[in-house]
């Protein structure tokens, strides 16, 4: 069987301690994959052996000397890879952000999200929206993204038409809602008038007084 790696707590300032610190910062990848060395390990023991190897720890020292540079580099590569999938496979179609992400990670050499400046996919999607790189919107099914091809006149015209149609649909919906509210209000008012008329009690004295008035008018007319 495979020999187990030596156990032991890393001394402060040692290359092993540096490696552990970098790993904690997210520069090492998800399950059994080392982003810095671009190495996929088969299991937890293999991954542990790799992270304690001299070759790995030497690279960790280099990374530790300029951690922000590597973090920015990984972030740029992740963004480029994600947008490449979105633009090539889906063009300007609106699609669930997680679908694009699952397609992106099919490449075994992809940059893992936890090696970037974004803690979650939601944070990354919001970044794309804030930077104007994608149109984004949140639904019950999660975040949706739509690539904005700013260099393609046809895509720009298509997007403008889509925006116009969305606005028209929203205006139509608002008009239908207002019309329905008016109909409901009119129906309630009519029902209220009918109920009031049906519930009004007959007043004999009122009829008698009305009759007397008619008589008086007739007398006065002579």
């Amino acid at each position: 069987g495979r020999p187990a790696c030596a156990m032991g707590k890393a001394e402060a300032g040692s290359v092993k301690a540096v490696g552990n610190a970098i790993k904690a910062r997210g520069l090492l990848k998800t399950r059994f994959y080392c982003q810095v060395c671009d190495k996929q390990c088969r299991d937890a023991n293999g991954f542990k052996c790799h992270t304690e190897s001299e070759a790995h720890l030497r690279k960790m020292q280099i990374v530790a000397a300029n951690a922000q540079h590597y973090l920015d580099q990984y972030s740029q590569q992740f963004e480029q890879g994600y947008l490449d999938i979105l633009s090539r496979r889906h063009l300007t179609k609106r699609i669930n952000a997680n679908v694009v992400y699952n397609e992106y990670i099919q490449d075994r050499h992809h940059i893992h999200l936890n090696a970037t400046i974004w803690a979650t996919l939601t944070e990354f999607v919001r970044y794309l929206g804030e930077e104007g790189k994608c149109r984004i919107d949140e639904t019950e099914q999660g975040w949706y993204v739509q690539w904005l091809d700013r260099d393609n006149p046809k895509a720009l015209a298509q997007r403008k038409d889509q925006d116009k149609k969305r606005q028209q649909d929203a205006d139509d919906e608002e008009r239908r809602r207002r019309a329905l509210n008016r109909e409901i209000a009119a129906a309630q008012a009519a029902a209220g008038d009918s109920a009031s008329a049906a519930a009004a009690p007959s007043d004999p004295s009122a009829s008698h007084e009305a009759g007397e008035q008619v008589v008086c008018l007739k007398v006065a007319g002579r």
Side-chain angles (χ1 to χ4, degrees), residues 1-22:
R2 180 181 302 161
C5 296
M7 301 287 289
K9 184 176 181 180
E11 296 181 6
S14 67
V15 289
K16 184 175 181 180
V18 172
N20 291 339
I22 296 301

Side-chain angles (χ1 to χ4, degrees), residues 95-98 121-122 125-126 136-139 141-145:
I95 189 167
N96 191 291
N98 210 45
L121 182 61
T122 293
V125 169
R126 287 175 174 168
I136 66 172
D137 62 287
E138 186 178 16
T139 71
Q141 290 74 39
W143 283 93
Y144 276 74
V145 293

Side-chain angles (χ1 to χ4, degrees), residues 85-202:
I85 293 290
L86 178 62
S87 62
R88 286 192 302 103
R89 297 188 184 179
H90 305 287
L91 303 178
T92 57
K93 177 183 177 183
R94 175 178 173 272
I95 189 167
N96 191 291
N98 210 45
V99 170
V100 182
Y101 178 72
N102 286 333
E103 293 177 358
Y104 167 70
I105 64 176
Q106 295 305 307
D107 179 0
R108 63 186 296 265
H109 296 297
H110 71 275
I111 301 296
H112 291 239
L113 181 58
N114 70 345
T116 70
I117 60 176
W118 305 288
T120 64
L121 182 61
T122 293
E123 189 175 321
F124 172 66
V125 169
R126 287 175 174 168
Y127 157 81
L128 294 178
E130 291 170 358
E131 294 295 318
K133 298 183 178 183
C134 290
R135 175 180 288 107
I136 66 172
D137 62 287
E138 186 178 16
T139 71
E140 293 181 355
Q141 290 74 39
W143 283 93
Y144 276 74
V145 293
Q146 185 177 12
W147 181 54
L148 300 180
D149 185 0
R150 301 185 180 280
D151 299 325
N152 188 330
K154 183 177 180 180
L156 289 173
Q158 180 184 8
R159 186 163 65 252
K160 187 175 181 180
D161 290 341
Q162 291 173 342
D163 290 341
K164 184 177 180 180
K165 185 178 184 303
R166 287 194 188 95
Q167 185 60 49
Q168 289 176 342
D169 291 343
D171 293 343
D172 290 344
E173 180 63 26
E174 179 63 18
R175 282 193 290 271
R176 286 193 293 269
R177 186 184 66 80
R178 291 179 179 177
L180 179 60
N181 288 340
R182 286 196 296 270
E183 291 178 8
I184 293 174
Q188 290 175 338
D193 292 343
S194 298
S196 298
S202 57

Side-chain angles (χ1 to χ4, degrees), residues 34 56 62 65 70 72 79 163 166 184 187 192 220:
C34 174
H56 171 79
I62 297 174
Y70 285 92
D72 291 342
E79 177 184 341
D163 290 341
R166 287 194 188 95
I184 293 174

Side-chain angles (χ1 to χ4, degrees), residues 50-104:
H50 167 71
T51 58
E52 294 181 356
S53 68
E54 290 185 11
H56 171 79
L57 293 177
R58 279 197 301 269
K59 288 190 176 182
M60 287 298 97
Q61 286 183 313
I62 297 174
V63 171
N66 198 357
Q68 190 60 49
H69 166 75
Y70 285 92
L71 195 62
D72 291 342
Q73 178 177 296
Y74 290 145
S75 300
Q76 183 179 8
Q77 291 174 358
F78 176 87
E79 177 184 341
Q80 183 178 349
Y82 185 94
L83 291 180
D84 186 52
I85 293 290
L86 178 62
S87 62
R88 286 192 302 103
R89 297 188 184 179
H90 305 287
L91 303 178
T92 57
K93 177 183 177 183
R94 175 178 173 272
I95 189 167
N96 191 291
N98 210 45
V99 170
V100 182
Y101 178 72
N102 286 333
E103 293 177 358
Y104 167 70

